[in-house]
Amino acid sequence: QLEQLMRYDKSTKANSDRIKASNVRLSIPRPPVTTLTGILDDLRALNYTDKGTKITEAAMGPFEKPISVSAFPDYPQHVSEPMDLQTVERKAKGNIYATPEDFEYDLNLIFRNCERYNSQRNGEHLVSMAKFGAKHFRRLFFAKIAMPPPDAYVAPQQSLMDPAAKKQKLETDGPSSGKTAPRISITLSAAAASAAARSKSPKPGQPTQKKPTSPIKNQPVPLHIAIARVKEQFHLRRPVKSLQSWEADCARYFKELLRHPWLSAARPQFIFHVPVTMLFPDLREAYAAKIRKPMDLTTVECTLLAGNRYTSPEDLIEDVALTFSNAIRFNKDGRDIGDPLSCAYFDASVHLLRFARWLSLELLSAHVEKSDQVDECSADGLPPVSWKLTTGNRARAQSEQQEIVLK
């Protein structure tokens, strides 16, 4: 067989077959823009409900815009090829994608980048959203984009000057004759393309309706986006190594506070990290009527790292206590009538206020004054909403924690 192949390779017939094969053109039409934008619209219509917090948000919210390097300065160190939905949509409408596989690559790149970056930061919530998005994208992609059979290719145009060429006929059906290698064309099938065009084209007499691609006003913002927005308001963010000694002590205290299982950034059970009205816009008027000075944990952290406001550890502790005391004040009425969510946040806020008080008096011991001053609880038994760093308060906080542990 080898000798036959060698003789064939040197024959004039082999030269003729090579010329014919070189004239065969592989035709890969570009995918229809309506199909690609339709997949993006379907993805944006998805909602994701977190199993822990039970908060429902837009599934594509984290992937809509490019990542802000000012909010996440280490992002380029982990992700070398950023991608987002707005960039994909711009490329799709510009007819830049030559094949469906190019479109598929960019969409998968969005979710892979999210998993790669957040898996190293214990961002389990965002990793789960990325897996959710990748799963649904695969379903939409293979449902709307059909692949042709492997032997589908465009035959070369026959030359009118060559009579012998007119007698040649390329057979694309049936088994291969072994004279030419099969050509593979990866593209949209005509049926899928026409079906996508029909689904997007309006019926006669009906006005065209476009799906909204921009977020609707007065809608809840996902937690990670809300945290990024708060951080973007603080242009200066000093590294911990450059902080003063008392500021570094406060930073360690704040880090330990966020390790509480109810506040863990990976999957918090209660949300104190951002302003309430960012996550729940419908509560804006009711919240403003009860709370004069809103506060959240991300604002406390950014204020510490920005500098020029906190002058002592007690200034930071006051804002931490204000975060939980605001939640107590706002949820008190709902707790009195038995609203489940208000009851949960009221009790959690009382517990976290006591925990923050005890933790500050333990970890900031270098700043505790020798004094018998004790900040008493309120008349209804709630912990004090502010306290001084004194030995008397530390002894009282220690006894309270012992009582809670022994119960």
Side-chain angles (χ1 to χ4, degrees):
Q1 294 180 353
L2 181 60
E3 293 178 357
Q4 292 178 356
L5 290 174
M6 294 177 65
R7 286 196 300 270
Y8 169 76
D9 185 62
K10 296 178 181 179
S11 64
T12 57
K13 181 173 177 52
N15 292 332
S16 177
D17 290 342
R18 278 193 286 267
I19 294 174
K20 294 177 182 178
S22 63
N23 291 331
V24 175
R25 295 183 297 106
L26 181 64
S27 177
I28 305 180
R30 294 180 180 271
V33 175
T34 54
T35 301
L36 303 185
T37 56
I39 293 176
L40 294 177
D41 290 340
D42 290 341
L43 285 174
R44 285 167 169 157
L46 295 173
N47 289 325
Y48 175 80
T49 302
D50 187 88
K51 295 181 180 179
T53 61
K54 305 301 181 183
I55 295 178
T56 300
E57 55 188 297
M60 295 297 110
F63 318 110
E64 186 68 32
K65 298 180 180 180
I67 299 299
S68 174
V69 181
S70 61
F72 304 96
D74 62 334
Y75 189 78
Q77 301 176 8
H78 302 279
V79 177
S80 59
E81 189 178 2
M83 187 56 60
D84 58 276
L85 289 179
Q86 290 185 354
T87 302
V88 172
E89 183 178 30
R90 184 170 61 253
K91 294 173 68 175
K93 291 182 177 180
N95 204 21
I96 296 178
Y97 291 115
T99 64
E101 287 71 27
D102 296 336
F103 176 77
E104 181 187 17
Y105 173 83
D106 278 355
L107 261 297
N108 287 328
L109 180 63
I110 295 174
F111 303 123
R112 286 199 306 270
N113 288 345
C114 180
E115 289 190 48
R116 182 182 300 112
Y117 180 69
N118 291 283
S119 60
Q120 303 178 12
R121 298 165 55 90
N122 295 325
E124 297 179 4
H125 176 70
L126 290 175
V127 172
S128 300
M129 292 189 71
K131 293 180 178 179
F132 177 85
K135 176 182 177 181
H136 284 269
F137 167 68
R138 285 194 297 269
R139 292 180 179 177
L140 291 171
F141 182 78
F142 289 107
K144 293 195 173 186
I145 297 184
M147 300 301 176
D151 57 350
Y153 68 97
V154 177
Q157 295 180 353
Q158 303 295 339
S159 174
L160 297 177
M161 301 300 295
D162 186 5
K166 294 182 179 180
K167 298 180 181 180
Q168 299 292 333
K169 182 179 180 181
L170 291 175
E171 297 181 358
T172 58
D173 297 330
S176 175
S177 59
K179 296 182 180 181
T180 58
R183 265 54 177 179
I184 301 176
S185 174
I186 304 177
T187 180
L188 284 172
S189 67
S194 61
R198 287 195 304 270
S199 63
K200 293 297 179 180
S201 59
K203 296 181 180 180
Q206 291 184 354
T208 58
Q209 296 181 356
K210 294 182 179 180
K211 294 183 179 180
T213 57
S214 59
I216 302 175
K217 294 183 178 180
N218 204 33
Q219 290 295 315
V221 177
L223 177 60
H224 56 279
I225 295 180
I227 292 176
R229 288 184 180 179
V230 174
K231 290 182 178 180
E232 288 177 351
Q233 298 175 6
F234 295 83
H235 302 289
L236 178 61
R237 188 177 179 88
R238 298 175 297 169
V240 177
K241 295 182 180 179
S242 65
L243 300 179
Q244 300 180 31
S245 59
W246 70 268
E247 291 177 321
D249 293 340
C250 291
R252 285 191 291 271
Y253 158 71
F254 192 83
K255 184 178 180 180
E256 289 297 325
L257 177 65
L258 292 184
R259 286 184 178 179
H260 192 286
W262 291 358
L263 300 175
S264 175
R267 191 174 293 275
Q269 297 185 25
F270 297 94
I271 308 299
F272 297 94
H273 306 71
V274 295
V276 173
T277 53
M278 275 192 179
L279 293 181
F280 307 101
D282 294 338
L283 299 178
R284 186 174 287 110
E285 294 183 1
Y287 195 81
K290 294 183 178 181
I291 306 302
R292 295 182 179 179
K293 184 182 178 182
M295 186 55 60
D296 60 272
L297 296 180
T298 302
T299 299
V300 174
E301 179 189 19
C302 293
T303 303
L304 173 64
L305 297 180
N308 299 326
R309 178 181 169 185
Y310 294 148
T311 59
S312 66
E314 290 183 349
D315 293 340
L316 178 136
I317 293 172
E318 182 179 354
D319 279 351
V320 171
L322 183 62
T323 301
F324 302 124
S325 62
N326 283 346
I328 295 173
R329 185 179 301 110
F330 181 74
N331 290 282
K332 186 177 184 303
D333 293 341
R335 181 237 189 187
D336 293 341
I337 63 176
D339 178 69
L341 187 60
S342 297
C343 291
Y345 264 92
F346 183 90
D347 294 341
S349 301
V350 172
H351 168 80
L352 290 171
L353 185 59
R354 288 198 178 101
F355 177 77
R357 179 192 183 196
W358 167 80
L359 190 65
S360 66
L361 292 165
E362 292 293 329
L363 296 185
L364 299 175
S365 57
H367 309 279
V368 174
E369 298 179 359
K370 292 183 179 180
S371 173
D372 295 334
Q373 177 183 351
V374 176
D375 296 293
E376 299 293 343
C377 297
S378 61
D380 51 2
L382 296 177
V385 296
S386 63
W387 57 89
K388 298 291 184 180
L389 293 176
T390 63
T391 53
N393 277 328
R394 183 169 61 182
R396 176 66 60 85
Q398 289 175 347
S399 63
E400 289 179 355
Q401 289 299 117
Q402 290 176 357
E403 293 178 2
I404 293 175
V405 172
L406 294 176
K407 281 185 179 180

